[in-house]
Amino acid sequence: MSELKIYNSLHRQKEVFTSLYPGHVGMYVCGPTVSGESHLGHARPYITFDVVYRYLQYLGYKVRYVRNITDAGHFEEEGREAEDKIAKRAQLEKMEPMELVQKYTNLFHWAFHRFNCLEPSIEPTATGHIIEQIEMIKTIMEKGYAYERNGSVYFDVKKYAETHDYGILSGRVLEDMLESSNRELENQEEKINNVDFALWKNAPPEHLMRWPSPWGEGFPGWHIECSAMSSKYLGKQFDIHGGGMDLQFPHHECEIAQSEIAHGELMARYWMHNNMITINGRKMGKAYNNTIKLTELFTGNHHLLERGYSPMTIRFFVLQTHYRSTLDFSNEALQAAEKGLHRLWSAYEVLQKLTYTPANGQPVNEELDKQVRDWCHECHEFLNDDFNTAKVLANLFELAPVINSIKGGQVKMHELSEETFQLLQKTWSTFLIEILGLQPETLNTDNSKLDGVIQLLIEMRKEAKSRKDYAASDKIRNQLLAVGIQLKDEKDGSMTYSIQ
Ligand code: ZN
């Protein structure tokens, strides 16, 4: 089998992967900001890196996968000051900031369980690592690459760029960045250069999330959390750092700069970035009013959706395109994915039920036998070639008609050798289920019937309550909960449910 090659954004080329510590891989992926619900755009990185995580383990590596939760911090976009999303949203929803953060963390976990994403080995939070962030900022200051202004601390990008390549990932040129000035924006006057970024921000009196520091009460800059937490759990240098392409600049450039100054070495050896999801050819965002939250995607409750799509359909849709290509979302594309996935499951189910029957002296069809073996072996080659899940799925689609023909009798079982037949069975369960992480959706294949049953039970519970038969109403709720269906009383007296 060939060696695993990864496209390394750092050198803009595919490179043979070697782990820093033989047999062990450290992987860090930038996690969600839990100031709101996850949307379609979040589905791609976490599904992509879930497959990377699964495949590395399949190859025999022991992987420590760290994915953070951003539950505090200062957000800058393209050098502009951005609002404190968490505090603002908490005020809007009349919640404690940590209450809000918990709510959206839970929702994130719920959605990604439905996508069948494996949990990371460690899921550190920014608020749980304030001390580590402060320590790292102190080190950067001691080394002369950060300065304090009015209780805030900024990283000196221009000084860093004198001896390091700032823009190494994104290909941006510092001189160009220095020219485009954002000085009219709030607080920019504190910075020596507009390209400098915050390591720590002084908290104004109205700021809710604040911590004591050597520079007064404040809160960390956004970028510093990933540098602090990755080094704490994976060491100063580790193997793979992943995230969406939109994070290359400024977030990942800043992570590299901070870590390199604090630790004197390049933080990650391989940088992987997934491309973006567009919606009907357009970038997703507020400007186009086309952001689709995951809950809306599952239920179909969004003006751009004709109906809801199951988590496995979305997972399959994401994996049908190589992670570095753009992926355009549309109802037609999702419906085609749904059909495609259905075809694969039917073939898989047929294959599971087939048992090999010996040839009785009849010859193997050498040509077909070789073709099937080649298609199976290629699946490994494709994943070794920078995780090309799209090509793996294409090969499974080539194999599906062969399986159906064996069932239909057009191809006789003995036309394949026993060895090839076993390879075929193994390839399907290994790639479809173990590595691509697809799973049959028993609940979702017949959602309308299930919904009907639950609505009936909700009705029965209401009736029990109205005749004050609390034992019966509690029994319905608890028994449903035992099978993973949670009922929820809404403020308007209605009742909703969620499937765990
Ligand atoms: Zn990060």
Side-chain angles (χ1 to χ4, degrees), residues 184-446:
E184 71 278 8
L185 292 156
E186 191 196 352
N187 291 334
Q188 294 288 314
E189 69 278 4
E190 283 181 352
K191 298 180 183 178
I192 296 176
N193 288 295
N194 66 312
V195 288
D196 296 348
F197 58 89
L199 296 170
W200 186 263
K201 286 295 280 186
N202 172 46
E206 71 277 10
H207 201 95
L208 295 172
M209 295 175 97
R210 52 204 299 142
W211 291 268
S213 82
W215 318 285
E217 279 204 350
F219 53 97
W222 167 35
H223 316 303
I224 193 74
E225 72 175 88
C226 289
S227 287
M229 298 191 288
S230 63
S231 60
K232 173 159 182 167
Y233 298 112
L234 297 172
K236 292 173 181 174
Q237 195 178 58
F238 54 92
D239 296 301
I240 299 172
H241 192 311
M245 227 156 76
D246 53 335
L247 294 180
Q248 277 190 349
F249 184 86
H251 186 52
H252 289 165
E253 298 283 7
C254 297
E255 280 188 35
I256 291 176
Q258 296 162 159
S259 294
E260 197 145 337
I261 292 305
H263 302 135
E265 49 191 317
L266 194 64
M267 68 186 297
R269 298 157 68 237
Y270 299 82
W271 284 80
M272 291 180 67
H273 294 96
N274 64 277
N275 212 318
M276 301 289 101
I277 291 186
T278 53
I279 296 191
N280 299 319
R282 282 183 151 165
K283 213 178 148 185
M284 187 163 52
K286 269 190 194 150
Y288 297 115
N289 186 27
N290 64 355
T291 303
I292 304 175
K293 292 173 187 162
L294 293 179
T295 45
E296 295 167 340
L297 199 56
F298 298 157
T299 58
N301 187 18
H302 188 279
H303 72 276
L304 288 172
L305 296 173
E306 286 170 13
R307 58 180 172 84
Y309 300 98
S310 76
M312 277 308 114
T313 300
I314 296 155
R315 185 174 176 112
F316 175 79
F317 170 70
V318 166
L319 297 177
Q320 248 191 323
T321 300
H322 186 246
Y323 76 91
R324 281 194 292 115
S325 306
T326 53
L327 175 59
D328 191 45
F329 175 94
S330 66
N331 282 288
E332 300 80 71
L334 256 284
Q335 283 159 26
E338 196 174 71
K339 278 195 194 126
L341 182 59
H342 190 74
R343 278 219 311 280
L344 287 188
W345 279 131
S346 313
Y348 175 76
E349 277 167 24
V350 167
L351 186 61
Q352 291 310 100
K353 286 180 193 143
L354 290 175
T355 42
Y356 191 76
T357 41
N360 271 344
Q362 301 205 56
V364 166
N365 179 341
E366 295 294 346
E367 198 184 329
L368 180 69
D369 193 73
K370 184 179 182 305
Q371 182 65 78
V372 169
R373 264 186 288 132
D374 287 350
W375 277 329
C376 291
H377 290 311
E378 275 172 0
C379 289
H380 292 275
E381 300 298 323
F382 294 150
L383 284 189
N384 277 346
D385 186 14
D386 195 28
F387 307 95
N388 200 328
T389 56
K391 284 190 171 176
V392 170
L393 286 169
N395 268 28
L396 296 183
F397 277 117
E398 296 281 9
L399 288 163
V402 178
I403 295 165
N404 293 330
S405 302
I406 295 175
K407 189 194 173 212
Q410 298 92 328
V411 171
K412 300 282 175 269
M413 180 72 90
H414 66 76
E415 292 187 52
L416 298 180
S417 70
E418 185 165 8
E419 206 186 341
T420 302
F421 178 75
Q422 276 163 3
L423 176 69
L424 180 64
Q425 276 190 325
K426 191 165 188 308
T427 300
W428 276 67
S429 50
T430 302
F431 283 86
L432 199 62
I433 293 174
E434 198 184 324
I435 298 170
L436 300 185
L438 292 160
Q439 58 178 189
E441 290 178 298
T442 43
L443 281 179
N444 293 294
T445 48
D446 217 345

Side-chain angles (χ1 to χ4, degrees), residues 34 59 62 186 221 315 322 333 371 400 459 476 478 496:
V34 284
L59 291 178
K62 195 170 176 341
E186 191 196 352
R315 185 174 176 112
H322 186 246
Q371 182 65 78
E459 241 0 88
I476 292 171
N478 294 339
T496 56

